[in-house]
Amino acid sequence: MQKRKRFLIGGLVIIGALSYIMYGGMQEAMVYFKMPSELKAEESSSRDKFLRMGGMVVKGSLQTDLKNLAYRFELGGGTASFPVFFKGIPPDLFSEGKGAVVEGRIGKDGVFQATTIMAKHAEEYSPHADGKEGYPKSFVPAQESAKK
C-alpha cells in the first residue's frame, strides 16, 4: 500500500510539473494581433510583448538601405500609422500601398522593430485579360494528364 501511495504522489507531481511547463510555454508563444491605430492607443502597455501588426504600407514612406538590408516604413490602418524598422530580406510582394503583417516588438524609441514581414496579396483570381489560348481555364492534374 505504501509503494502505491508514493507512486501516485510521484505521478501527480510529474503531471503538475508538465502542466505548468506547457502553460508557461503557451503564454510565451501567444502573439497578439493589432491594427496600427490600436497599437498607438496601447503603446505603453505593449512595450514588452511580442506582437503582430497588420495594415497597409503608407505610400511614400518606404526607405530602403539595400547595402545593409534595412527598411523603414509606416504601416497604416484605422486612423493612425506606426513607424516600422526591419532588417533582412522582405517578401517579393512587399511594396508601398500593399497590405503587410509584421511581427516583432516596440522599441524604446517608439519604432516597431520587426523580425518578420508577411506580404498580403489579393485573394481573388482573375484570368489574363488578353484571353490567350493554351492556358487551361481551370487546372485539374488528372484531367490535364489525360488530355496528353
Side-chain angles (χ1 to χ4, degrees):
M1 186 69 174
Q2 192 70 8
K3 274 187 173 182
R4 188 174 188 175
K5 196 174 192 179
R6 276 194 249 166
F7 182 73
L8 282 173
I9 291 173
L12 288 174
V13 169
I14 290 172
I15 289 172
L18 287 174
S19 299
Y20 178 76
I21 290 171
M22 287 174 47
Y23 175 76
M26 287 191 315
Q27 292 295 86
E28 288 286 320
M30 289 176 72
V31 179
Y32 297 99
F33 184 87
K34 303 281 185 180
M35 294 295 292
S37 56
E38 293 173 325
L39 201 54
K40 272 283 193 214
E42 303 169 1
E43 188 174 344
S44 60
S45 64
S46 300
R47 289 229 187 250
D48 295 329
K49 295 179 183 170
F50 190 77
L51 303 166
R52 183 178 287 168
M53 177 174 57
M56 300 294 282
V57 179
V58 176
K59 289 187 179 188
S61 69
L62 182 60
Q63 302 170 4
T64 60
D65 178 3
L66 295 178
K67 183 178 178 187
N68 296 316
L69 293 175
Y71 298 83
R72 292 184 182 278
F73 56 94
E74 296 268 332
L75 202 61
T79 58
S81 63
F82 211 91
V84 179
F85 174 78
F86 174 71
K87 189 165 180 145
I89 300 172
D92 292 338
L93 295 175
F94 176 74
S95 65
E96 290 182 342
K98 302 257 176 122
V101 176
V102 293
E103 290 182 338
R105 300 183 192 284
I106 300 174
K108 293 182 185 195
D109 57 355
V111 176
F112 193 91
Q113 304 293 321
T115 56
T116 305
I117 296 178
M118 295 173 277
K120 294 171 83 177
H121 57 84
E123 296 176 2
E124 301 158 6
Y125 169 75
S126 57
H128 291 282
D130 58 3
K132 285 186 179 178
E133 290 297 320
Y135 292 102
K137 300 222 184 310
S138 65
F139 180 72
V140 180
Q143 290 177 350
E144 291 301 312
S145 62
K147 287 181 183 178
K148 293 180 181 179

